[in-house]
Amino acid sequence: MRQQDLSTPRRRLGTLVLLGAVGTLALGGCASGDLRGDHTTGWLPHAVTEGGERVTSLWIGAWIAAIAVGLLVIGLIVWCIAAYRRAHDDTELPVQLRYNIPIEILYTVVPMLMVVVLFYYTARDEAYLVDTSKKPDLTVNVVGKQWSWDFNYVEDDTHEVGTQAILTGKPGAEETIPTLYLPVGERVEFVLTARDVIHSFWVPAFLQKMDMIPGRVNRFQVVPTQEGQFKGKCAELCGAYHSQMLFNVKVVSREEYDAHMADLRAADQTGLLNNTLNREQLMEGQDAPTGGGN
């Protein structure tokens, strides 16, 4: 009777854990939408930039190494259980060892080598992703603000002012979200600044994001590799309407990009929004991303 009473809560706990896991997977699938990857990407979103492809390779390589180590450890555990199992007629304790120097050295050196290798590839790819030494084809100053985005197209001397997304659940809500235009196959440098609090510029399909810190200028470059429309959002909790700080990214042909710049000029959205609109001035040594001064 006691065994039955103990097993019932365990079965209920197992059911709750299973339901929780299934629910998490279902919510993850809903959140990722049409960006969901497959086994070829390690179930990361499909990358649409050159840097994103590098992130995917690092992710898959790390998982392959982790699975290989896990299988090896499980195999050794099973082998030890089988090889050193206690016989039915064995009533004595096995030989007790206080230490084994070779095994202890092995257990210390191997994990250190694993960490060093993983650190090397991570540091190598991180250096590639944040490298801004190459001359970009165009520069976009992305400005985060509570709770929307401004875009300065530096070379084209045009700008767009975003307003907070109005999420009603009805058709047409997409039109309230600011849209960033980028030409496919060209190197884009993002110059990131913040008007008020810390934000984070994140396009999941880029597999890369970077914080936007008041008073500082952060930069990174991407080369979009395919046309399409992708979602963007703030990835840093920035206040009450953080969840509505959304934008779209349209990767288009150079002709369509130029046409959009012409539309901005026709709408009298010329010139660049400068940093005098920020709550804090740029720190000393930070290059102003626009021609409007600090």
Side-chain angles (χ1 to χ4, degrees), residues 26-171:
L27 290 174
C30 293
S32 54
D34 58 356
L35 291 179
R36 283 181 294 179
D38 51 32
H39 66 281
T40 63
T41 65
W43 285 274
L44 280 181
H46 285 280
V48 297
T49 64
E50 291 180 357
E53 295 169 359
R54 181 178 286 259
V55 172
T56 300
S57 298
L58 176 64
W59 171 261
I60 293 175
W63 270 108
I64 290 175
I67 291 172
V69 171
L71 291 176
L72 175 62
V73 171
I74 292 173
L76 290 174
I77 292 174
V78 173
W79 176 75
C80 289
I81 293 174
Y84 299 104
R85 67 186 184 278
R86 182 175 181 176
H88 293 294
D89 57 350
D90 189 359
T91 59
E92 298 182 1
L93 290 174
V95 177
Q96 303 296 298
L97 298 177
R98 297 180 60 184
Y99 54 84
N100 187 306
I101 298 298
I103 290 181
E104 291 177 6
I105 292 176
L106 177 68
Y107 284 171
T108 303
V109 172
V110 171
M112 289 181 62
L113 290 176
M114 293 167 57
V115 171
V116 168
V117 171
L118 183 60
F119 175 82
Y120 166 77
Y121 285 107
T122 302
R124 181 200 65 179
D125 290 346
E126 180 183 2
Y128 174 87
L129 292 171
V130 300
D131 178 32
T132 57
S133 61
K134 295 182 180 179
K135 183 178 179 180
D137 297 304
L138 70 150
T139 306
V140 181
N141 172 216
V142 180
V143 184
K145 61 185 182 181
Q146 292 176 310
W147 287 272
S148 190
W149 309 84
D150 293 338
F151 303 125
N152 279 318
Y153 299 93
V154 177
E155 287 81 6
D156 294 281
D157 197 35
T158 59
H159 68 267
E160 290 193 60
V161 179
T163 56
Q164 182 179 324
I166 302 175
L167 304 179
T168 62
K170 300 178 180 179

Side-chain angles (χ1 to χ4, degrees), residues 10 21 28-29 39 42 47 69 89 99-100 119 146 162 177 210 230-231 235 238 246 269-270 276 279:
R10 291 173 183 171
H39 66 281
V69 171
D89 57 350
Y99 54 84
N100 187 306
F119 175 82
Q146 292 176 310
I177 300 175
M210 184 172 285
F230 311 100
K231 304 294 185 183
C238 57
L246 309 173
Q269 292 178 238
T270 56
T276 59
R279 290 182 189 171

Side-chain angles (χ1 to χ4, degrees), residues 7-29:
S7 62
T8 299
R10 291 173 183 171
R11 286 198 299 269
R12 291 176 180 172
L13 178 60
T15 302
L16 290 174
V17 171
L18 178 60
L19 290 175
V22 172
T24 301
L25 291 174
L27 290 174

